[in-house]
Amino acid sequence: MSSDVSITRGDTDTRSGYERVVSFLREQLLSGQLKTGDCLLPERELSARLNVSRPMLREALRALAMIGAVEIRHGVGTIVKRPDVSTLGEFFSFVLAQQADVIDDIMEARIAIEHHAVRLACRRATQPDLDRIADALKLIAETIHDVEAGGAADFRFHEAIVRAAHSPTLVSIYGSLSALMMRSHLDRREQIIRIEGIDEFLIDHHRLIFSAIVDRDAPKADDLLTRHFEIGAEFRRRATMLETAHRMGERRGTASSAEPSNDPNARTHP
């Protein structure tokens, strides 16, 4: 690690010790002075350079270890790591799960990511990428009437498109939201599975998107994806209307059965 660090005891930095440690690590990584696998300076020297107490430094490093940014090895030191996306996903899940409209919000993020990803995939997809998308498409057809397996296959298809974009940032963001996206896929599949025409939509429209990617036709793939989300939203609206009508029918039936009979021969109970 480079010894060229501007943070000294004379600084009038008002940030907390944790913020200083995180900022230092981030800046060193962005500048290239720190790389995955590098070992940080010993605790005593690093705390002096960052102008933080050693207990504060340990606390900050433990927090960074929890998110996978570093690994603390006893007898060795603190090693810089590449954080696992799954760890980031757990963080997002806890943060976003407290929103009342989290699924709708996740859907908006998903649409934004996938639109750019499908355009990139049309240019960058390799044969293994196309094979993964094709395998997911086959699985969608095979699990069309299974809510859980079908929802997972649907997610796998869209995830394969994002991977085919070969954009590490898009893949990381998509992966960090994968748990919530999977929940979205399953919830929506359960809602629309009984709507007439859903089988054709789920199979045929995914196939059209795949064909556009194979043909390297980015405008067509993008348009199809727009239509894909629009049709899906329409099926959900229809499902909601049917569910509402069903509930209203049940309530009317319950109310009718509770009304007193006008039949004079009807038996009464004490």
Side-chain angles (χ1 to χ4, degrees):
M1 185 190 74
S2 171
S3 61
D4 184 18
V5 181
S6 62
I7 302 176
T8 65
R9 291 186 180 276
D11 288 342
T12 56
D13 197 335
T14 59
R15 294 175 298 175
S16 70
Y18 173 78
E19 290 173 330
R20 269 180 267 175
V21 175
V22 172
S23 177
F24 164 75
L25 184 61
R26 181 176 60 246
E27 290 167 4
Q28 293 287 301
L29 285 168
L30 288 173
S31 69
Q33 295 185 62
L34 267 181
K35 296 180 177 62
T36 300
D38 285 350
C39 186
L40 298 183
L41 290 172
E43 185 180 284
R44 183 188 300 275
E45 186 176 351
L46 190 56
S47 65
R49 292 192 178 214
L50 298 177
N51 195 21
V52 297
S53 67
R54 292 177 70 179
M56 178 61 73
L57 176 64
R58 293 191 199 105
E59 181 180 343
L61 292 177
R62 281 196 294 268
L64 289 170
M66 289 181 66
I67 64 172
V70 299
E71 179 183 358
I72 301 172
R73 299 180 186 173
H74 297 292
V76 176
T78 302
I79 310 299
V80 178
K81 288 184 59 182
R82 182 186 298 275
D84 189 338
V85 171
S86 64
T87 304
L88 190 59
E90 291 175 2
F91 171 77
F92 272 113
S93 295
F94 278 107
V95 171
L96 297 176
Q98 299 181 48
Q99 296 179 198
D101 59 346
V102 61
I103 296 301
D104 289 337
D105 192 40
I106 287 295
M107 189 65 185
E108 292 179 0
R110 175 190 161 195
I111 290 171
I113 294 170
E114 289 190 27
H115 269 295
H116 190 52
V118 79
R119 291 191 294 267
L120 292 176
C122 286
R123 300 203 313 263
R124 300 177 179 176
T126 62
Q127 189 57 51
D129 294 322
L130 298 177
D131 291 341
R132 274 191 294 269
I133 301 173
D135 288 343
L137 179 60
K138 180 181 178 184
L139 200 57
I140 287 175
E142 292 173 348
T143 60
I144 195 66
H145 297 297
D146 186 322
V147 171
E148 187 169 344
D154 198 321
F155 172 77
R156 180 178 168 185
F157 178 90
H158 291 269
E159 181 187 41
I161 292 175
V162 176
R163 291 178 61 186
H166 290 279
S167 167
T169 299
L170 286 182
V171 171
S172 294
I173 295 173
Y174 200 85
S176 68
L177 299 173
S178 61
L180 293 171
M181 287 187 184
M182 177 63 79
R183 176 184 163 189
S184 172
H185 275 277
L186 295 177
D187 287 351
R188 292 167 190 273
R189 176 62 68 94
E190 186 173 15
Q191 185 182 22
I192 66 178
I193 193 64
R194 298 178 184 86
I195 302 299
E196 183 179 354
I198 190 63
D199 291 12
E200 292 79 5
F201 163 66
L202 288 173
I203 297 173
D204 295 344
H205 218 264
H206 283 97
R207 184 177 290 117
L208 288 172
I209 294 171
F210 173 59
S211 296
I213 295 172
V214 171
D215 292 340
R216 309 289 182 182
D217 192 337
K220 183 177 180 180
D222 193 49
D223 289 342
L224 283 167
L225 194 61
T226 296
R227 185 63 182 144
H228 185 75
F229 289 126
E230 289 174 349
I231 295 173
E234 179 58 31
F235 273 111
R236 290 190 294 276
R237 282 192 291 270
R238 288 167 56 186
T240 300
M241 290 174 62
L242 287 174
E243 184 179 356
T244 301
H246 179 68
R247 288 178 179 175
M248 290 179 66
E250 287 183 337
R251 289 174 184 172
R252 282 196 298 268
T254 302
S256 297
S257 64
E259 291 177 358
S261 173
N262 293 323
D263 185 354
N265 295 318
R267 296 180 59 185
T268 59
H269 297 274

